[in-house]
Amino acid sequence: MDMDMTGFFELYPWMLPVVIFFGRICDVTLGTLRIIFVAKGEKKKAPLVGFFEVFIWVVVISQLFTHANSMIAYLAYAGGYAAGNFVGILVENKIAFGYQLFRIYTKSDGLALAQQLNRNGFGSTHIHGEGVVAEVEIVETVVSRKSGKKVADIIRMFDPNAFYVIEDIRTREKGIFTTSSAGAPRQGK
């Protein structure tokens, strides 16, 4: 017996909203990752992820149009889109792809903070600066996103009143970077 997708959904109509819902979760999650890869200049990953994203979307949308009179299918499509955004953010946070620049402003001893970061395997630069009200010490470090929490904890332990900003960066070269989140420093490209 040869059965296409339409025949399958006519035989098991309850499966249509399920397939649409989970298909949308998959394609929207992949879309989130594709956007990140494009922004980071990942020339091989972005098109590959985009291929699967669009393939899943075409399959889902064709089923939705084939069964255009199903309000439950429409709700599954919208619900899958919303859930896909949520899952995409969770996946992106879990893989923590890329690098971040931490720029820390402190009224405490910035050199000591730089040394503390270095002892934990994070290369850093210490700069003396003038704030609006007083002198400040500025410390900058570039770390993998996976190491970001550890760096933030070091900053908070060193100076709970430190002000810092975190910026995503596209590339990094010629510096001292950790080889892992364990913190072994190495010379960069």
Side-chain angles (χ1 to χ4, degrees):
M1 178 174 154
D2 186 26
M3 183 173 13
D4 64 358
M5 253 201 228
T6 303
F8 176 80
F9 290 129
E10 287 173 5
L11 192 56
Y12 305 102
W14 60 271
M15 283 294 294
L16 177 66
V18 172
V19 169
I20 289 173
F21 180 78
F22 286 106
R24 283 302 284 164
I25 288 175
C26 291
D27 92 82
V28 173
T29 299
L30 290 173
T32 301
L33 295 176
R34 178 186 48 79
I35 290 167
I36 291 162
F37 291 147
V38 167
K40 301 288 184 186
E42 293 291 323
K43 296 176 191 138
K44 293 179 182 172
K45 292 177 185 172
L48 182 64
V49 170
F51 172 83
F52 288 105
E53 172 196 2
V54 169
F55 180 78
I56 293 168
W57 182 83
V58 166
V59 169
V60 168
I61 202 73
S62 69
Q63 290 309 306
L64 189 65
F65 284 148
T66 301
H67 302 85
N69 59 351
S70 172
M71 181 56 76
I72 293 172
Y74 299 153
L75 292 172
Y77 186 86
Y81 181 82
N85 281 292
F86 181 77
V87 171
I89 290 169
L90 290 178
V91 169
E92 195 278 330
N93 285 334
K94 187 71 175 170
I95 64 172
F97 183 77
Y99 295 91
Q100 295 176 318
L101 166 67
F102 275 73
R103 186 173 298 119
I104 306 124
Y105 301 89
T106 180
K107 292 181 183 174
S108 299
D109 183 2
L111 184 57
L113 175 57
Q115 291 168 343
Q116 176 77 14
L117 289 166
N118 290 340
R119 278 192 298 277
N120 282 276
F122 302 107
S124 60
T125 301
H126 168 248
I127 307 162
H128 180 75
E130 287 290 325
V132 173
V133 177
E135 293 181 350
V136 293
E137 301 291 316
I138 304 165
V139 178
E140 293 185 346
T141 185
V142 174
V143 301
S144 72
R145 287 195 52 228
K146 291 181 183 186
S147 299
K149 184 181 178 334
K150 182 177 180 181
V151 171
D153 289 344
I154 292 168
I155 295 166
R156 280 191 290 275
M157 285 176 48
F158 179 82
D159 179 3
N161 296 315
F163 170 74
Y164 62 93
V165 293
I166 304 169
E167 300 175 43
D168 281 334
I169 58 173
R170 186 171 172 160
T171 59
R172 64 178 180 48
E173 286 188 40
K174 298 186 174 132
I176 301 198
F177 306 104
T178 57
T179 54
S180 70
S181 59
R186 69 171 174 81
Q187 187 71 31
K189 297 184 214 178

